Amino acid sequence: VTAVPAGEFEVIARIQQRLRGEGGSDAALRAPEAGEVFSGDDTAVVSPGPSDRLLLAIDLVVEDVHVDLALASLADMGWKAVSVNASDIAAMGGRPLHVVVGVAAPPSTDLDAITDGMVEACAAYGIALVGGDLTGGRNVVISVAITGTCDGRPPVLRSGARPGDVIWVTGPLGASAAGLALLQGPGGLDSAGDTDARVAAYRRPVARVAEGIAAATAGATAMIDVSDGLSRDLDHIARQSGVGIRLESLPVVEGATAAEALGGGEDYELVFTASVDAGVAEAFRAAGLRAPIEIGTCSDDGEERTLQGQPLAVTGWEHRFGAASA
Amino acid sequence: VTAVPAGEFEVIARIQQRLRGEGGSDAALRAPEAGEVFSGDDTAVVSPGPSDRLLLAIDLVVEDVHVDLALASLADMGWKAVSVNASDIAAMGGRPLHVVVGVAAPPSTDLDAITDGMVEACAAYGIALVGGDLTGGRNVVISVAITGTCDGRPPVLRSGARPGDVIWVTGPLGASAAGLALLQGPGGLDSAGDTDARVAAYRRPVARVAEGIAAATAGATAMIDVSDGLSRDLDHIARQSGVGIRLESLPVVEGATAAEALGGGEDYELVFTASVDAGVAEAFRAAGLRAPIEIGTCSDDGEERTLQGQPLAVTGWEHRFGAASA
């Protein structure tokens, strides 16, 4: 393997060729429609669709903060940067449309590997990768901004849960944290192997787009993706809806701990609320999706945070900052 | 000045309060309309307007790459991150609508200062700051993604210039590079002062949004913003349009060199082409804008790059990368 120094414009040209499907392998990526312009101008020109509302979000994935490049590849990092954004769209009950991608990276970085992962993820979610920016940087920072549409449905906010609503989660939790612990543990990479589902959950998290749409269609009243940890993410719904959280069960993936399921985060399952008579299970079955799991109810005590009657601590990931004040 | 450690959610809550105008001073920022949701959910929900086409771009501003924090403040960096994105919209002849902002920063970073600069810029351009992401990082990276609209006009691409078109620039060039040189030179900060227009151009570049709309309205055939340097940015138009570039004059700001005007970049003036009979000067006058400057013509020799008959080297900024290959 030799390092071939390449200028920004040469790298961008190669990525653009791939996005146009000229390599042959990326044909799954959507091509521009009439009137659309993807990469190659000052901005992309995209069709936002017939809805009069657009979903818009941005999420960063930072080397050594979100991804340890000794434990995951640059392609994994590219995949993850797209997936965490798609997950934000999913948590509104929306369908992702376009991403623009910013990458800051040291000169030695294999940008094609990052592109590989991003292209794979965009193809998996049916997202058009329409533009980007490439710059030097001290460590690898991937910034993805995403648009999406609810196709005329109202977006499912965090603030709509009502007392008595059932709390659902789209799958068992803790896989990503358990996968990371496995990779960091004795034997580490060697013993974990590339086929462990928990390791895959850490390296290649999957946004639950179809599940979010099924939940919205069934009348979900509030929804969020489990990125910071179930207890913290439910706390967001509780605060913004003015309801309490009364969990009856905690679905934990095989090989993970309850602490990993509650506070590990980065699972990217969706947690949502719906009235007891909403046909949630039926909607998921009709869509051919794995059955969602009922984990509790919303109470009318806005301060309540309990799991099987015991106080539930709000744990999970939070970045720390020192803000200067006079 | 004491450092007050603050969690991500506390910092975000404070920024959200400011964006809602609760501090009182940021009332210039646009508030959400009915059906819109800004910061505080998984994504923002915005109105893309009646046009069936949306402009979408992303640009990163990285400490030590684009901004030397010994020579410019964090507020300047926040301003710049919004301005360079607004400039991309301006270069399409568009009007900026919304930004989402991602910030990666070390724990000691004064995030309020970054917010100050971003809010000032958004207010100046009439942009709604609708959401963001905040994370730890090794150095300060600000990533802004922007939407915009051409209000039904076709976007002005880089590819539409035709032989015989006149080349215009919205103002003299080289100010930013000269400002940086001044700050780095003998005496540096002390001698430069805070009132030097070149220093201001380096620290607080202004996107030429009204000028871009005037150019588009007058029938500009191709347009780009001068970010990498005039010669390189004109080279983009030449290649994508299949025309040559024949410059007759080079407008240089007072106190800058010709080299700074040609290759310095980061001026964020717009360079555009239009047919000789387009009413460019009239359109700018009617809009109450500074007169644009005619600097040359497009030739039918796609290889030509000349200034007053002499070969014009393509110089300017390009990030260097080493791409690994087998």
Side-chain angles (χ1 to χ4, degrees):
Chain A
V1 176
T2 55
V4 180
E8 175 189 1
F9 297 109
E10 182 188 328
V11 172
I12 290 173
R14 198 165 61 230
I15 293 172
Q16 287 171 333
Q17 280 181 341
R18 296 190 49 186
L19 297 183
R20 285 193 296 264
E22 289 171 18
S25 62
D26 300 327
L29 285 181
R30 182 168 83 72
E33 296 164 9
E36 287 190 322
V37 178
F38 289 179
S39 182
D41 220 293
D42 293 284
T43 77
V45 182
V46 301
S47 166
S51 171
D52 63 346
R53 290 290 175 263
L54 188 76
L55 306 177
L56 184 63
I58 192 167
D59 253 325
L60 307 183
V61 175
V62 180
E63 178 185 355
D64 297 339
V65 177
H66 304 93
V67 174
D68 180 342
L69 287 175
L71 305 179
S73 69
L74 283 167
D76 292 337
M77 194 172 171
W79 169 281
K80 187 170 184 172
V82 172
S83 286
V84 300
N85 277 278
S87 183
D88 283 328
I89 298 291
M92 305 296 277
R95 180 168 60 87
L97 295 173
H98 320 95
V99 291
V100 283
V101 174
V103 176
S108 61
T109 307
D110 181 359
L111 298 166
D112 289 309
I114 296 175
T115 308
D116 284 342
M118 293 195 299
V119 164
E120 282 180 67
C122 286
Y125 300 117
I127 296 170
L129 201 171
V130 301
D133 184 32
L134 187 55
T135 167
R138 212 177 294 176
N139 59 340
V140 181
V141 177
I142 306 181
S143 171
V144 173
I146 193 163
T147 70
T149 178
C150 288
D151 289 308
R153 290 183 308 271
V156 184
L157 307 182
R158 297 175 176 177
S159 53
R162 294 159 304 193
D165 280 356
V166 177
I167 304 172
W168 300 84
V169 65
T170 54
L173 303 170
S176 177
L180 177 58
L182 201 62
L183 289 171
Q184 291 174 329
L189 282 169
D190 298 329
S191 72
D194 281 345
T195 57
D196 190 286
R198 294 162 294 176
V199 171
Y202 168 71
R203 290 180 173 157
R204 297 264 171 156
V206 175
R208 302 298 180 187
V209 176
E211 288 80 354
I213 292 170
T217 305
T221 52
M223 185 150 58
I224 192 169
D225 65 330
V226 182
S227 55
D228 295 323
L230 180 68
S231 58
R232 184 174 293 283
D233 292 315
L234 274 173
D235 186 64
H236 289 307
I237 286 183
R239 286 170 184 268
Q240 291 180 234
S241 297
V243 297
I245 300 294
R246 187 177 296 164
L247 296 186
E248 299 302 337
S249 64
L250 177 70
V252 184
V253 297
E254 201 182 320
T257 67
E260 287 165 344
L262 267 182
E266 305 221 323
D267 285 307
Y268 301 104
E269 297 293 345
L270 300 174
V271 55
F272 62 94
T273 58
S275 74
V276 283
D277 53 359
V280 169
E282 295 74 9
F284 275 65
R285 197 161 45 233
L289 298 169
R290 181 176 64 173
I293 306 162
E294 209 178 310
I295 59 172
T297 53
C298 299
S299 70
D300 56 11
D301 171 6
E303 304 297 312
E304 179 173 2
R305 307 284 187 277
T306 56
L307 170 58
Q308 293 172 339
Q310 301 301 308
L312 177 66
V314 174
T315 60
W317 181 254
E318 183 178 15
H319 298 284
R320 304 301 301 179
F321 292 94
S325 74
Chain B
V1 176
T2 55
V4 180
E8 173 188 2
F9 297 109
E10 182 187 327
V11 173
I12 290 173
R14 197 165 61 230
I15 293 173
Q16 287 171 334
Q17 279 181 341
R18 295 191 50 187
L19 297 184
R20 285 193 296 265
E22 289 172 17
S25 63
D26 300 326
L29 285 180
R30 181 168 83 74
E33 297 164 7
E36 287 190 322
V37 178
F38 291 179
S39 183
D41 219 292
D42 293 284
T43 76
V45 183
V46 301
S47 166
S51 171
D52 63 347
R53 290 290 175 262
L54 188 76
L55 306 177
L56 184 63
I58 191 167
D59 253 324
L60 307 183
V61 174
V62 179
E63 177 186 356
D64 296 339
V65 176
H66 304 92
V67 174
D68 180 343
L69 287 175
L71 305 180
S73 69
L74 282 167
D76 292 336
M77 194 173 169
W79 169 282
K80 187 170 184 172
V82 171
S83 286
V84 299
N85 277 277
S87 183
D88 283 328
I89 298 291
M92 305 296 278
R95 181 168 59 88
L97 294 173
H98 320 96
V99 291
V100 282
V101 174
V103 176
S108 61
T109 307
D110 181 359
L111 297 166
D112 289 308
I114 296 175
T115 307
D116 285 342
M118 293 195 299
V119 164
E120 281 179 66
C122 286
Y125 300 117
I127 296 171
L129 200 172
V130 301
D133 185 32
L134 186 56
T135 168
R138 211 177 294 176
N139 59 340
V140 181
V141 178
I142 306 181
S143 171
V144 172
I146 194 162
T147 70
T149 178
C150 289
D151 290 307
R153 290 182 308 272
V156 184
L157 307 182
R158 297 175 177 177
S159 53
R162 293 159 305 193
D165 280 356
V166 176
I167 304 172
W168 298 84
V169 65
T170 53
L173 303 170
S176 177
L180 177 58
L182 201 62
L183 290 171
Q184 290 174 330
L189 283 169
D190 298 329
S191 71
D194 281 345
T195 57
D196 190 285
R198 294 162 295 177
V199 171
Y202 167 71
R203 290 181 175 157
R204 297 263 172 159
V206 175
R208 302 299 180 186
V209 176
E211 288 81 354
I213 292 171
T217 305
T221 52
M223 185 150 58
I224 192 169
D225 65 330
V226 182
S227 57
D228 294 322
L230 179 68
S231 58
R232 185 176 292 284
D233 292 315
L234 274 173
D235 186 64
H236 288 307
I237 286 184
R239 286 168 183 268
Q240 292 181 231
S241 297
V243 298
I245 300 295
R246 187 177 297 164
L247 296 187
E248 300 302 338
S249 65
L250 176 69
V252 183
V253 298
E254 200 181 321
T257 66
E260 286 165 344
L262 266 181
E266 306 220 324
D267 284 307
Y268 301 104
E269 297 294 344
L270 300 174
V271 56
F272 61 94
T273 58
S275 74
V276 283
D277 53 359
V280 169
E282 294 74 9
F284 275 65
R285 196 160 47 231
L289 298 169
R290 180 176 63 173
I293 306 162
E294 210 178 311
I295 58 172
T297 53
C298 299
S299 71
D300 57 9
D301 171 6
E303 304 297 312
E304 178 174 1
R305 307 283 187 277
T306 56
L307 170 58
Q308 293 172 337
Q310 301 301 309
L312 177 67
V314 174
T315 59
W317 181 254
E318 182 177 19
H319 298 286
R320 304 300 302 178
F321 291 94
S325 74

